[in-house]
Amino acid sequence: MDIFDKLIHDFRSSSAWVELLILLVCLLLAYTVVRWWGRNLKERERVSPIWFGSKPLDGAMLPMLALFFTYVAELIAVQYMPVFWLRLAVSLLFSLTIIRFVARVLSASFPQSTTMRLMERVFSWVVWGVAVLHSLGLLPVVREELDSVSLTLGKSQVSLLNLVEGTLSAGLMMVVVLWIASLFEQHLINRWVSDLSMRKVGVNITRVVLITVGLLVSLSWVGVDLTTLSVMGGALGVGLGFGLQKIASNYISGFLVLIERALRIGDNVRVDGFEGRITDIRTRFTVIRASNGRESIVPNETLITQRVENLTQSDRQFSLSTTVVVGIDSDVSQVTSILLDAAKRQPRVLAKPAPSVQLVDFVEHGLQFTLSYYISDPQNGQGNLRSDVNLTVLQGLREAGVHLPMSRQVVQFVALDESATGHADKGLHVAESPRENP
């Protein structure tokens, strides 16, 4: 009751309108600075999405600057009058800054993880609860109650307060580590490493090292003896020996695939009869996307231990072909010119290596030609380009009067002998004629 009486007294004695006016000025000043700062950074192409986001209201910089200005205003105003709203605003802005920072880091690190979205909500409710308790003056009371509840873990007694504070500190440490890893990726790896596979290696190694260091530091803060981790290491080794071999093998195989660069992101491959383009190489599996939109999740161990066909050359050239059969009396040079012209008309077909035409076989009453050409963007579709080339070839052959052989069926009516049957009868005979020009 003393706490609530003090709150009511502070509320009644404070100059509410003056404080609200000061708070509004602080918010407008923070918004102006963030908007000006963010626009200048965008012009220099060095925008940090964690702090600024796509709009001033999306990033964590706005509540942080508003917190700074409001806290400075509170320190000045408390010298001249009792404050209530400014103190409350400082607690709320501090909580909003932490929530916005954590949410932006997790969204950037795990953009499609529903688990991280759930963790963001839980963390937000916890932080808002702490802010409310701090504003009401009940936080010390709650801390004492949590500290009085103890749990027995082995031979040691741990209070509930230590567990809550340790969990929050470890979580914040992991978020800071992920933020540092994202800065390292954005300002160093993306600028100096052009190959996507080597970028993936750098990002994975950076995250593993930083997360390990951050976890050790957070455990030491909580008071966990790091020598006890040797027991966990032994248990992990036993687990790898019994049931986690595949997970460890896929994890190591992912690094080998990225480091050896035999397969890279963007290559078109065929694995176990499935053909597609490698869109992502993760720590445990590789994502291969086919031209029809289907995706195959291939364990990284498969890429190391089994036969994989890489359909893409090192210069990212991809070969396509079209086969056509023309009449046996067709002009070979004319057909060759029509096929080459059909390929050269397509803007996606590469000029080097140039398209080529081969007379590959003499089929029944026809000549079989194969048109080969190269593209550098198979991710934009292969069937659509092959269809455009075939349509152009068909149009060119028809305009030139080149006939395509086709099979025909001839229906013959045969009259039977009247002396053999006693009356005239006709039989139906169907015979397939050989391929000929129409």
Side-chain angles (χ1 to χ4, degrees):
M1 293 303 297
D2 294 339
I3 295 175
F4 287 103
D5 291 339
K6 183 177 183 301
L7 288 174
I8 294 174
H9 178 268
D10 293 342
F11 175 75
R12 290 178 178 179
S13 61
S14 64
S15 302
W17 291 107
V18 177
E19 293 184 56
L20 292 177
L21 181 60
I22 295 175
L23 178 60
L24 180 61
V25 172
C26 293
L27 293 177
L28 290 177
L29 181 61
Y31 179 80
T32 303
V33 173
V34 170
R35 188 173 182 180
W36 172 79
W37 195 357
R39 183 168 59 250
N40 290 341
L41 288 178
K42 185 178 294 185
E43 292 175 356
R44 301 174 187 176
E45 296 182 357
R46 292 185 302 175
V47 178
S48 176
I50 293 177
W51 293 107
F52 292 95
S54 58
K55 299 178 181 179
L57 297 177
D58 294 339
M61 183 62 69
L62 178 60
M64 187 175 68
L65 286 179
L67 171 64
F68 173 75
F69 293 141
T70 306
Y71 181 71
V72 173
E74 180 193 4
L75 293 179
I76 298 175
V78 76
Q79 304 294 331
Y80 303 97
M81 62 180 182
V83 295
F84 174 79
W85 294 105
L86 290 178
R87 185 173 70 247
L88 180 62
V90 167
S91 300
L92 296 179
L93 288 174
F94 181 76
S95 302
L96 181 60
T97 301
I98 296 178
I99 293 173
R100 185 65 61 83
F101 175 75
V102 172
R104 294 295 301 177
V105 171
L106 293 180
S107 299
S109 302
F110 309 96
Q112 298 179 351
S113 177
T114 57
T115 304
M116 291 301 163
R117 303 292 84 78
L118 178 61
M119 293 180 62
E120 289 178 15
R121 295 178 182 178
V122 173
F123 181 79
S124 301
W125 283 108
V126 172
V127 173
W128 283 123
V130 172
V132 171
L133 293 176
H134 180 268
S135 301
L136 296 177
L138 298 176
L139 186 58
V141 179
V142 175
R143 286 173 55 90
E144 291 179 1
E145 293 296 330
L146 292 177
D147 194 29
S148 63
V149 179
S150 60
L151 301 175
T152 303
L153 299 178
K155 297 181 180 180
S156 59
Q157 294 286 334
V158 180
S159 65
L160 188 57
L161 178 62
N162 292 335
L163 290 178
V164 174
E165 291 180 346
T167 303
L168 292 178
S169 61
L172 287 176
M173 176 58 69
M174 292 298 102
V175 172
V176 172
V177 166
L178 291 176
W179 173 55
I180 297 175
S182 65
L183 291 179
F184 186 83
E185 175 185 358
Q186 179 181 359
H187 295 284
L188 292 179
I189 297 179
N190 292 345
R191 289 187 178 183
W192 299 103
V193 181
S194 58
D195 188 80
L196 293 179
S197 298
M198 297 308 297
R199 284 185 187 179
K200 203 72 175 180
V201 172
V203 171
N204 291 338
I205 293 178
T206 303
R207 285 191 177 183
V208 170
V209 173
L210 291 179
I211 289 176
T212 303
V213 173
L215 183 60
L216 295 177
V217 172
S218 60
L219 290 177
S220 63
W221 281 359
V222 177
V224 177
D225 188 5
L226 298 182
T227 57
T228 59
L229 295 179
S230 59
V231 180
M232 297 179 58
L236 182 60
V238 174
L240 292 176
F242 282 98
L244 301 179
Q245 305 98 326
K246 291 295 183 182
I247 296 178
S249 177
N250 289 321
Y251 188 82
I252 298 175
S253 299
F255 278 99
L256 292 178
V257 170
L258 291 171
I259 293 175
E260 293 177 352
R261 303 176 66 184
L263 300 175
R264 295 180 292 180
I265 298 176
D267 286 353
N268 287 271
V269 298
R270 182 184 291 113
V271 181
D272 196 19
F274 187 88
E275 179 179 338
R277 176 174 173 266
I278 298 178
T279 59
D280 194 6
I281 301 178
R282 303 187 181 182
T283 56
R284 192 179 59 85
F285 58 86
T286 297
V287 181
I288 301 177
R289 183 179 180 86
S291 57
N292 57 4
R294 293 186 303 165
E295 288 187 347
S296 177
I297 307 300
V298 181
N300 291 328
E301 184 185 10
T302 304
L303 304 179
I304 297 295
T305 59
Q306 296 186 11
R307 178 175 176 266
V308 180
E309 298 182 41
N310 193 344
L311 307 178
T312 305
Q313 301 177 4
S314 59
D315 54 1
R316 290 294 190 270
Q317 294 176 355
F318 194 82
S319 175
L320 296 176
S321 63
T322 294
T323 301
V324 62
V325 178
V326 298
I328 192 66
D329 56 347
S330 301
D331 188 353
V332 174
S333 59
Q334 183 184 30
V335 174
T336 302
S337 176
I338 293 173
L339 295 178
L340 291 176
D341 183 67
K344 293 178 181 179
R345 287 186 181 182
Q346 307 302 323
R348 292 177 55 192
V349 175
L350 299 178
K352 292 183 179 180
S356 60
V357 178
Q358 296 85 25
L359 177 60
V360 296
D361 199 2
F362 297 93
V363 297
E364 184 180 2
H365 296 281
L367 305 175
Q368 181 176 343
F369 290 86
T370 298
L371 169 64
S372 301
Y373 48 94
Y374 290 86
I375 60 176
S376 60
D377 55 347
Q379 68 276 6
N380 294 330
Q382 306 169 26
N384 53 356
L385 178 61
R386 185 180 283 111
S387 175
D388 294 339
V389 173
N390 292 343
L391 291 175
T392 307
V393 169
L394 181 61
Q395 181 181 1
L397 293 177
R398 287 179 175 177
E399 292 177 354
V402 178
H403 298 286
L404 303 178
M406 57 182 298
S407 61
R408 288 184 174 180
Q409 285 186 343
V410 179
V411 180
Q412 297 179 348
F413 290 89
V414 181
L416 299 179
D417 189 4
E418 296 183 3
S419 60
T421 59
H423 61 278
D425 193 5
K426 293 183 179 180
L428 180 62
H429 176 69
V430 180
E432 181 177 352
S433 66
R435 291 173 176 245
E436 59 182 13
N437 293 330

